Amino acid sequence: MAATPTKDGPRINEDIRAPRVLLIDENGEKQGEMPLAAALDAAAEAGLDLVEIAGTANPPVVKILDYGKFKFQEQKKKNEARKRQKVVELKEIKLRPMIDDHDYDVKARAMSRFFEEGDKVKVTLRFRGREMAHQHLGIDLLMRVKRDFETIAKVESEPRLEGKQMTMVMAPRT
């Protein structure tokens, strides 16, 4: 139910501005187009509020319902939506150009777990001292990572050198 919002929700009762409205009663049955005063009387007779459901329609659609209960239901829907959403985090894996195979396997398992959880992974390769003269080893290592994970992840930013480190960002395939 998308309503025309005021500061904190849809217009209710005397806040509704349209001279004629399309009324839906508390049972969900369409009562037809009528003057706003008649709709307000019907809501008062039922002991409930008149809530503007579709303010942009011509004429605006209003419904007779308990506004407190309506606000509570809307809040519950928002909370449910918030619970279901996944926040994608950026995890970082640090490597060295001369990494041993076993150490690489340990890092690869961690990266696999991150991709399964839906997180992005930033692979950082740090060069020390004379390793800067052999940047091709670093590029080869990052290409190996790219090759190993091409089935479950895509490269979001290609390897690039920033000072003494080379970085590459990968994201899980959806």
Side-chain angles (χ1 to χ4, degrees):
M1 288 185 186
T4 305
T6 56
K7 278 186 240 172
D8 58 347
R11 293 187 188 111
I12 60 168
N13 300 329
E14 284 75 29
D15 293 339
I16 300 170
R17 297 191 193 115
R20 293 189 65 77
V21 293
L22 179 66
L23 179 67
I24 298 172
D25 68 10
E26 62 272 18
N27 302 323
E29 294 171 16
K30 192 173 175 182
Q31 297 299 314
E33 192 176 328
M34 61 179 63
L36 178 61
L40 283 168
D41 290 342
E45 193 176 298
L48 297 170
D49 299 304
L50 189 66
V51 180
E52 190 175 54
I53 301 300
T56 56
N58 190 14
V61 179
V62 294
K63 188 171 185 178
I64 297 174
L65 48 83
D66 181 354
Y67 183 65
K69 190 174 179 182
F70 174 74
K71 267 184 89 169
F72 176 73
Q73 294 295 340
E74 290 294 309
Q75 188 62 45
K76 261 176 58 173
K77 283 181 196 172
K78 281 182 188 172
N79 289 343
E80 280 298 314
R82 197 174 298 127
K83 277 183 198 171
R84 277 185 253 120
Q85 79 183 20
K86 166 77 171 104
V87 176
V88 176
E89 292 183 36
L90 181 66
K91 305 285 188 167
E92 185 175 20
I93 293 287
K94 293 184 179 182
L95 302 173
R96 297 290 316 280
M98 299 300 293
I99 191 167
D100 191 48
D101 286 336
H102 179 264
D103 295 333
Y104 175 82
D105 294 340
V106 170
K107 302 278 186 175
R109 275 198 302 276
M111 286 173 60
S112 297
R113 191 177 68 246
F114 294 152
F115 289 135
E116 286 168 11
E117 292 170 1
D119 295 324
K120 294 180 181 182
V121 176
K122 177 180 180 182
V123 183
T124 304
L125 188 71
R126 173 158 273 150
F127 294 102
R128 282 198 209 145
R130 292 188 185 148
E131 291 173 347
M132 283 299 289
H134 302 285
Q135 292 177 11
H136 62 91
L137 294 173
I139 291 179
D140 292 345
L141 181 61
L142 289 179
M143 290 302 126
R144 177 181 173 193
V145 170
K146 187 175 171 179
R147 228 181 9 261
D148 289 350
F149 290 99
E150 68 187 352
T151 57
I152 60 170
K154 61 183 179 274
V155 176
E156 211 167 70
S157 76
E158 290 294 328
R160 66 173 178 271
L161 189 66
E162 298 167 357
K164 289 191 173 197
Q165 60 186 26
M166 198 174 282
T167 59
M168 172 174 74
V169 178
M170 298 179 80
R173 290 190 190 272
T174 51

